[in-house]
Amino acid sequence: MKLFIFLLALFGSTLAAQTTHTWYYTAGWVTANPDGEFEREVAGFNNTWPLPILRVKKGDRVQLYLTNGFPHHNTTLHFHGLFQNGSAQMDGPEMVTQCPIPPGETFLYNFTVPDQVGTYWYHSHTQGQYGDGMRAAFIIEDDEPVPFEYDEEVVLTVGEWYHETSDQLLPKFLDLYNPTGAEPIPDNLLFNDTHNGVWEVKPNTTYFLRIVNVGRFVSQYLYMDDHDFTVVEVDGIYVKPNVTDMIYITTAQRYGVLVTTKDDTSKNYAFMSAFDTDMLDVIPKTLELNNTNTISYSPDNAKPEEFFVDDYDYLDDFYLEPLEKEALLDEPDHIIEVTVEMNNLGNGVNYAFFNNITYTKPKTPTLLTALASDPEIVANELIYGTNTHSIVVQHMDTVDIVLNNLDTGKHPFHLHGHVFQLIHRGDSVPDDESPVAFDYDDHPDFPAYPVRRDTVYVKEQSNIVLRFRADNPGVWFFHCHIEWHLDQGLALTLIEAPEQLNADPRQKLTENHKDICTKAGMSWNGNAAGNTKNFLDLTGQNVQHKPLPAGFTARGIVALVFSCIAAFLGLASIAYYGMSDIADVEARVARDLDVDLLDVDNEQVDSEIIEESSNERRKNSL
Ligand SMILES: *[C@@H]1O[C@H](CO)[C@@H](O)[C@H](O)[C@H]1NC(C)=O
Ligand SMILES: *[C@@H]1O[C@H](CO)[C@@H](O)[C@H](O)[C@H]1NC(C)=O
Ligand SMILES: *[C@@H]1O[C@H](CO)[C@@H](O)[C@H](O)[C@H]1NC(C)=O
Ligand SMILES: *[C@@H]1O[C@H](CO)[C@@H](O)[C@H](O)[C@H]1NC(C)=O
Ligand SMILES: *[C@@H]1O[C@H](CO)[C@@H](O)[C@H](O)[C@H]1NC(C)=O
Ligand SMILES: *[C@@H]1O[C@H](CO)[C@@H](O)[C@H](O)[C@H]1NC(C)=O
Ligand SMILES: *[C@@H]1O[C@H](CO)[C@@H](O)[C@H](O)[C@H]1NC(C)=O
Ligand SMILES: *[C@@H]1O[C@H](CO)[C@@H](O)[C@H](O)[C@H]1NC(C)=O
Ligand SMILES: *[C@@H]1O[C@H](CO)[C@@H](O)[C@H](O)[C@H]1NC(C)=O
Ligand SMILES: [Cu+2]
């Protein structure tokens, strides 16, 4: 009897604690001027921008009705870092877990907030859209006290900003005339959605600052004059407090930090946010690399001067120790080894590859294929198509993702549906040496209690190893969180525990979801080729462009492109990327492609395909 009462009380209290948040939002264009320099259309909710910070408690139910109010664009919403355990179809990435929401339609995101707490964010997972502003913080609070003391909590977003929209930037980025895949150069950094922002503080107060990089491209260094950060959380995982002068935050990462203010209010201080300039292909003279934001103790104080540091000596997150200790998982049952490369395909465009595959969207969202499949073939990778880079992992397997980065740039990788243990991060080798692949027989000891998070960077020409348990049946996207690189195809798809997924009634597609697919003009019950009858027939599936013709090299493209630019397009199209000086661009391109500049100048261009498309371009531009 006692036990019964106890159970009843427990059950009752759980019931009482669960709140349902029902939100209605219409996404659409709003005019705004975030950096104070340029007014443009941004992607907002309900005719306002920025988007609201959403707050929930663990165990709550979220019912977010998202109406697509864009006249010409599809939309979706991803809750970054949330496990969506049992609700994989609510994860958000277009063509991975759901059909795109067409203009005028409403999709219900309905899920239980998992047993997770901390700092998350939500953003559109439709091509480039979140970079236009459709993103904000998502906070999961806890009834239990947090394992550190503070007086006030504050959210702070950082990110870069472009004056041009994704619609304007993307076609120029994924273009024959951008053969090295040089990412567009941002116009400014934003600090809490304004340029050179102000954080108003009270004296003698410990703030719990939840920092989110909501950007689409660059990592930032954050550092303050005469104040320090005590890191207590990374990506929703509490860690042993670690005091540092500087944080390095990639896109999509979160840092929960404590900042204690001074007793005295007579001075305001600089809160610096700086570009990681290694990530910029060119640095226009006008770009403000170090941004001086203000920690304001009083509006009467003078504006702070730029605060200089000797070097960017930041906290290495590899060494952070989670408070909730989780020992290094056992030896992997399944090793997924991928190599990152950027290269041109036969259409001249620069793509990103995991091994030799650049992610190409299927005709039916991958999760929907898994749910509609006959259980007998649900674990057959073929049905998901050869170009979605789908990899089946078995339920409860320990999985390692070994990622060897041959590229000369850093990349922040994100896995949906999980936090993983970061068990190895190699150092880069110099540009003129060849990167080495990770070797299980020759590496530093893995940490006993590795740091866990959902987004980590790999250094240039280096490697990382991520380890996780496949305890969350679903279809989970693994991709670079530099949106430009995702647009170039730097993604793969994990089909996790397909049999369990396929058999779980909670995962069944909602009627609303089916309806959205129909409205989007696609099947909700087909294979990657949209074939609803025979899942093993992939005829008509989407595939990547053909490789460059044999004997034709990337440097040929460069030579051709520069002669075309000079001849037909003039300097204007280069100036667009802030590349006002052709010679400098060529030098950088030559370095990126590891070729001699003289070689580039003398290269004979002989590809018909390239000639054809450039002729076409000539016609178009006439
Ligand atoms: C957003 O706008 C819709 C109508 O488009 C309205 O029903 C809803 O209440 C608004 N949401 C909020 C949070 O104001
Ligand atoms: C929206 O999605 C549909 C279905 O996939 C597609 O045909 C259409 O091109 C998309 N619209 C845009 C603007 O991308
Ligand atoms: C959300 O999902 C829960 C659990 O499946 C269900 O009981 C509820 O009816 C759904 N909400 C709506 C509005 O459909
Ligand atoms: C950032 O903006 C949010 C939303 O307006 C606000 O709640 C928060 O206090 C701001 N953060 C800082 C550091 O000023
Ligand atoms: C600062 O706060 C602490 C704790 O709240 C208090 O003991 C102390 O007197 C305060 N100092 C000043 C100068 O206000
Ligand atoms: C940016 O800050 C760094 C570190 O303080 C400094 O070395 C560098 O000169 C600054 N760059 C500019 C353009 O101000
Ligand atoms: C703090 O971080 C440094 C690396 O920057 C590491 O050496 C140290 O062990 C960490 N300490 C704790 C308590 O996490
Ligand atoms: C990648 O390489 C594998 C093995 O060599 C081959 O079977 C596959 O067709 C290639 N894929 C593409 C897209 O080139
Ligand atoms: C998902 O839920 C199952 C129980 O339904 C649990 O065993 C598993 O640990 C959960 N996975 C995650 C990632 O929360
Ligand atoms: Cu990347």
Side-chain angles (χ1 to χ4, degrees):
M1 186 61 189
K2 263 194 193 140
L3 183 69
F4 175 73
I5 290 170
F6 173 74
L7 280 178
L8 195 72
L10 195 72
F11 188 56
S13 74
T14 328
L15 270 189
Q18 197 200 39
T19 307
T20 298
H21 305 266
T22 305
W23 286 304
Y24 295 86
Y25 290 115
T26 301
W29 296 115
V30 187
T31 306
N33 188 351
D35 64 1
E37 289 177 11
F38 192 81
E39 193 172 75
R40 49 159 283 189
E41 296 297 289
V42 307
F45 270 7
N46 278 23
N47 295 314
T48 53
W49 189 87
L51 271 50
I53 296 170
L54 299 180
R55 282 179 187 274
V56 299
K57 286 195 171 140
K58 69 178 181 193
D60 284 358
R61 174 160 295 279
V62 169
Q63 296 183 156
L64 193 155
Y65 290 86
L66 180 69
T67 299
N68 182 355
F70 296 106
H72 307 295
H73 294 79
N74 299 317
T75 195
T76 51
L77 209 55
H78 168 56
F79 300 84
H80 184 114
L82 273 66
F83 294 153
Q84 299 291 4
N85 196 347
S87 53
Q89 65 178 304
M90 301 301 168
D91 192 44
E94 178 174 300
M95 298 317 289
V96 180
T97 63
Q98 76 165 94
C99 295
I101 311 167
E105 300 303 326
T106 301
F107 188 92
L108 167 61
Y109 290 94
N110 179 7
F111 58 89
T112 309
V113 178
D115 189 12
Q116 288 177 279
V117 291
T119 313
Y120 299 85
W121 62 303
Y122 66 101
H123 63 83
S124 165
H125 221 298
T126 291
Q127 203 171 48
Q129 205 165 51
Y130 92 76
D132 285 328
M134 195 165 149
R135 75 290 184 286
F138 187 93
I139 309 297
I140 308 180
E141 293 168 347
D142 201 344
D143 280 331
E144 290 151 42
V146 294
F148 45 84
E149 285 182 13
Y150 66 94
D151 303 307
E152 292 193 24
E153 184 231 277
V154 185
V155 171
L156 167 65
T157 62
V158 297
E160 74 289 299
W161 190 247
Y162 291 91
H163 289 163
E164 287 187 285
T165 62
S166 294
D167 272 0
Q168 294 168 311
L169 294 168
L170 258 169
K172 290 187 266 189
F173 170 61
L174 292 178
D175 192 276
L176 166 67
Y177 290 91
N178 183 27
T180 60
E183 301 83 3
I185 301 297
D187 293 293
N188 272 310
L189 291 184
L190 296 183
F191 183 89
N192 225 30
D193 290 329
T194 62
H195 185 216
N196 296 334
V198 176
W199 174 26
E200 287 174 10
V201 297
K202 294 177 192 154
N204 197 23
T205 303
T206 297
Y207 286 90
F208 175 31
L209 199 55
R210 299 178 182 271
I211 309 175
V212 190
N213 186 341
V214 297
R216 61 151 55 159
F217 179 20
V218 292
S219 304
Q220 295 190 28
Y221 299 103
L222 303 177
Y223 48 106
M224 304 176 285
D225 180 7
D226 208 15
H227 292 66
D228 49 33
F229 302 104
T230 303
V231 174
V232 292
E233 180 211 337
V234 287
D235 298 356
I237 303 292
Y238 293 136
V239 294
K240 267 194 199 154
N242 201 320
V243 182
T244 181
D245 289 336
M246 188 177 288
I247 287 170
Y248 179 76
I249 186 167
T250 74
T251 53
Q253 285 188 327
R254 289 88 65 206
Y255 275 91
V257 300
L258 303 178
V259 177
T260 300
T261 56
K262 302 200 173 293
D263 275 350
D264 128 52
T265 61
S266 62
K267 185 178 171 220
N268 290 349
Y269 294 82
F271 190 136
M272 304 300 298
S273 51
F275 277 93
D276 175 354
T277 53
D278 291 352
M279 299 172 94
L280 303 176
D281 266 44
V282 282
I283 303 177
K285 290 193 180 67
T286 50
L287 186 62
E288 188 183 331
L289 298 175
N290 299 336
N291 285 241
T292 308
N293 310 288
T294 303
I295 306 176
S296 175
Y297 283 81
S298 158
D300 302 333
N301 296 335
K303 266 194 158 176
E305 300 279 313
E306 174 170 346
F307 173 62
F308 288 93
V309 288
D310 293 335
D311 50 17
Y312 293 120
D313 183 14
Y314 59 87
L315 178 82
D316 185 346
D317 64 337
F318 185 79
Y319 298 102
L320 292 172
E321 291 177 44
L323 276 187
E324 192 184 313
K325 286 190 161 193
E326 182 186 80
L328 174 70
L329 295 171
D330 290 344
E331 295 297 294
D333 303 297
H334 187 165
I335 296 170
I336 297 169
E337 188 165 0
V338 285
T339 299
V340 173
E341 261 181 298
M342 318 296 256
N343 215 336
N344 303 72
L345 288 178
N347 60 348
V349 174
N350 188 270
Y351 291 94
F353 299 83
F354 273 137
N355 301 337
N356 55 350
I357 300 175
T358 180
Y359 176 84
T360 308
K361 284 176 184 162
K363 289 187 172 167
T364 300
T366 305
L367 172 71
L368 278 57
T369 297
L371 296 178
S373 165
D374 190 323
E376 260 87 81
I377 52 166
V378 70
N380 185 340
E381 282 167 5
L382 185 68
I383 68 174
Y384 306 104
T386 51
N387 233 194
T388 56
H389 208 155
S390 288
I391 300 170
V392 167
V393 302
Q394 299 302 330
H395 195 214
M396 297 315 277
D397 268 5
T398 298
V399 182
D400 273 9
I401 298 180
V402 176
L403 187 148
N404 296 311
N405 179 20
L406 300 189
D407 186 48
T408 51
K410 300 167 196 158
H411 301 270
F413 283 97
H414 170 48
L415 174 60
H416 289 225
H418 289 276
V419 290
F420 44 75
Q421 299 184 337
L422 174 63
I423 65 174
H424 175 80
R425 178 158 49 210
D427 279 324
S428 356
V429 300
D431 269 16
D432 56 358
E433 286 173 29
S434 298
V436 242
F438 173 77
D439 180 357
Y440 277 98
D441 295 325
D442 180 18
H443 64 81
D445 285 348
F446 294 142
Y449 298 99
V451 67
R452 302 193 298 276
R453 55 189 318 174
D454 61 45
T455 309
V456 294
Y457 65 86
V458 60
K459 295 178 188 175
E460 56 278 18
Q461 301 215 101
S462 172
N463 48 53
I464 45 174
V465 182
L466 317 177
R467 183 169 288 184
F468 66 96
R469 174 103 61 215
D471 61 356
N472 190 12
V475 167
W476 308 119
F477 216 23
F478 176 70
H479 64 94
C480 177
H481 221 293
I482 292 177
E483 186 70 10
W484 303 117
H485 298 170
L486 178 54
D487 297 331
Q488 284 177 293
L490 197 45
L492 58 78
T493 316
L494 293 184
I495 317 287
E496 179 170 330
E499 282 96 355
Q500 288 74 9
L501 171 68
N502 180 278
D504 186 346
R506 296 174 307 163
Q507 303 274 10
K508 208 166 152 302
L509 273 204
T510 64
E511 290 306 315
N512 168 239
H513 198 157
K514 292 179 190 169
D515 186 43
I516 289 295
C517 295
T518 308
K519 297 268 173 49
M522 58 182 60
S523 62
W524 54 268
N525 56 351
N527 67 4
N531 190 327
T532 55
K533 302 276 171 347
N534 180 0
F535 269 41
L536 295 170
D537 179 2
L538 271 295
T539 312
Q541 68 165 326
N542 296 331
V543 291
Q544 67 196 50
H545 283 271
K546 297 218 156 44
L548 284 170
F552 190 79
T553 60
R555 74 168 90 147
I557 296 182
V558 174
L560 177 101
V561 164
F562 285 111
S563 57
C564 288
I565 286 175
F568 303 106
L569 298 175
L571 292 177
S573 70
I574 308 182
Y576 153 75
Y577 283 121
M579 304 173 177
S580 44
D581 177 0
I582 280 225
D584 182 47
V585 177
E586 274 188 294
R588 281 170 177 280
V589 164
R591 190 205 58 200
D592 280 2
L593 292 178
D594 195 21
V595 294
D596 196 318
L597 200 52
L598 289 173
D599 267 21
V600 173
D601 287 341
N602 298 334
E603 177 86 12
Q604 279 295 311
V605 178
D606 59 357
S607 162
E608 281 185 354
I609 291 182
I610 301 296
E611 294 271 70
E612 258 171 41
S613 46
S614 60
N615 279 335
E616 220 169 79
R617 176 56 60 109
R618 268 170 241 169
K619 270 184 255 144
N620 291 344
S621 64
L622 288 176

